[in-house]
Amino acid sequence: MFLKIKNAISQRKKHQINWYFCCGLVFLLSVIIGLSAAGWKLNRIVNDAKELPIEAVVIKGERKYTSDLEIQLALQGLLKSSFFSADVSEIQKTLETLPWVYRASVQREWPAKLKVFIKEQDVAAHWNGNSWLNRHGDVFEAVLSDESLKLPSLSGPEGMAKNILTTYEQLAELLKINGLSLNQLSLTPRHAWNLLLDNGIQLDLGREDKISRVQRFIDVYPYLKEQDKAIARIDLRYDTGLAVGWAQTQSESR
């Protein structure tokens, strides 16, 4: 009799445990379904441009050559996304494809604004006739309508832009402290350096000792100016001395 009662109690406990387990399972499933539904709805709202549109784009940074219209046209397709789903990285890359944009950064600002900071190209020189060099020696293509901007002209083999810009800066500084200005610098395919000063004098430096050869010209230039002749060209491709080409007679003295 005692055994029967004990078995009955055990069976009752099993039924109770199963009942609690079922209730807990139903509650857990309800929670999961509720969270899933809420997540689906939230995801729909977050990615719906009508629910959370980008209401404003704030452009910061000093700009001389990049207009608001250019930026608007570049971003018009990307700004159709919602505030959260807009691809900030893609917007940044798109802005950096604009000719005069060197770097761009984009940040979200709650509740519906994008902040864009633009750094334009710091143009340093003409490059190979149709292109430009920035201060970092990077080549870029752009249209420049500012005729008042006087820039030197540099030219040379592709891949040598940064080296040529560095050489220009060194030679230009050396000439400047001696009252002269460097307008053009070119590196030939055979790696010979040619300079054109603002007074029209061309300097042929050759491939070696370009700094010392420019210094040699600077040292002798005061004596050459005393001559009653206009200088057209000076050949400095010698270990010592130089050859002068006069503008009128083209005779040479050495």
Side-chain angles (χ1 to χ4, degrees):
M1 184 69 179
F2 176 76
L3 183 59
K4 289 182 179 180
I5 295 173
K6 186 175 181 180
N7 289 337
I9 294 173
S10 297
Q11 290 294 328
R12 185 179 301 174
K13 285 184 178 180
K14 287 181 180 179
H15 287 304
Q16 288 178 346
I17 291 172
N18 290 337
W19 175 254
Y20 289 140
F21 175 76
C22 289
C23 289
L25 183 60
V26 170
F27 176 74
L28 178 61
L29 290 174
S30 299
V31 170
I32 292 174
I33 292 171
L35 290 175
S36 298
W40 176 82
K41 187 174 182 180
L42 179 62
N43 181 68
R44 186 176 178 182
I45 293 174
V46 164
N47 291 282
D48 189 349
K50 294 181 180 179
E51 295 287 344
L52 289 172
I54 299 171
E55 296 179 354
V57 178
V58 179
I59 310 294
K60 293 190 175 184
E62 184 178 349
R63 286 180 290 143
K64 293 182 180 179
Y65 311 110
T66 307
S67 67
D68 290 341
L69 180 59
E70 282 184 286
I71 295 173
Q72 181 181 348
L73 291 174
L75 299 183
Q76 61 182 356
L78 297 172
L79 297 181
K80 293 179 181 179
S81 305
S82 73
F83 174 71
F84 285 106
S85 65
D87 191 333
V88 171
S89 177
E90 187 64 26
I91 292 173
Q92 177 179 321
K93 290 178 182 178
T94 300
L95 287 172
E96 289 178 351
T97 63
L98 294 176
W100 283 99
V101 176
Y102 176 63
R103 288 286 184 269
S105 61
V106 183
Q107 293 180 333
R108 293 184 178 88
E109 187 174 278
W110 180 262
K113 184 188 296 183
L114 290 182
K115 290 180 67 175
V116 176
F117 181 83
I118 287 178
K119 180 177 176 58
E120 285 195 323
Q121 298 279 8
D122 187 3
V123 61
H126 294 274
W127 173 250
N128 281 344
N130 300 319
S131 303
W132 305 94
L133 280 183
N134 63 22
R135 296 291 176 185
H136 307 284
D138 302 320
V139 180
F140 67 98
E141 309 289 335
V143 176
L144 179 61
S145 58
D146 188 359
E147 297 180 357
S148 64
L149 188 61
K150 295 182 179 180
L151 295 170
S153 294
L154 309 183
S155 61
E158 296 300 325
M160 294 291 293
K162 187 172 294 187
N163 177 267
I164 293 172
L165 178 62
T166 300
T167 299
Y168 166 80
E169 292 171 344
Q170 294 171 344
L171 297 180
E173 183 63 25
L174 179 59
L175 290 163
K176 182 180 179 181
I177 61 178
N178 288 277
L180 298 164
S181 180
L182 179 56
N183 278 7
Q184 296 180 24
L185 174 66
S186 64
L187 180 65
T188 70
R190 297 185 64 184
H191 287 228
W193 297 94
N194 296 313
L195 287 66
L196 182 65
L197 307 185
D198 65 341
N199 57 14
I201 298 176
Q202 181 174 327
L203 305 181
D204 298 332
L205 304 184
R207 291 183 291 181
E208 300 175 355
D209 302 325
K210 52 186 177 290
I211 300 294
S212 62
R213 289 178 180 180
V214 170
Q215 185 61 57
R216 186 191 309 162
F217 159 74
I218 291 171
D219 293 339
V220 77
Y221 183 59
Y223 302 101
L224 295 177
K225 286 198 301 182
E226 294 176 358
Q227 305 297 319
D228 190 20
K229 299 177 183 179
I231 303 170
R233 186 172 190 153
I234 298 180
D235 189 346
L236 293 147
R237 295 174 295 175
Y238 302 96
D239 293 334
T240 59
L242 51 84
V244 180
W246 304 103
Q248 294 178 348
T249 64
Q250 292 297 309
S251 61
E252 292 188 348
S253 66
R254 183 174 176 180

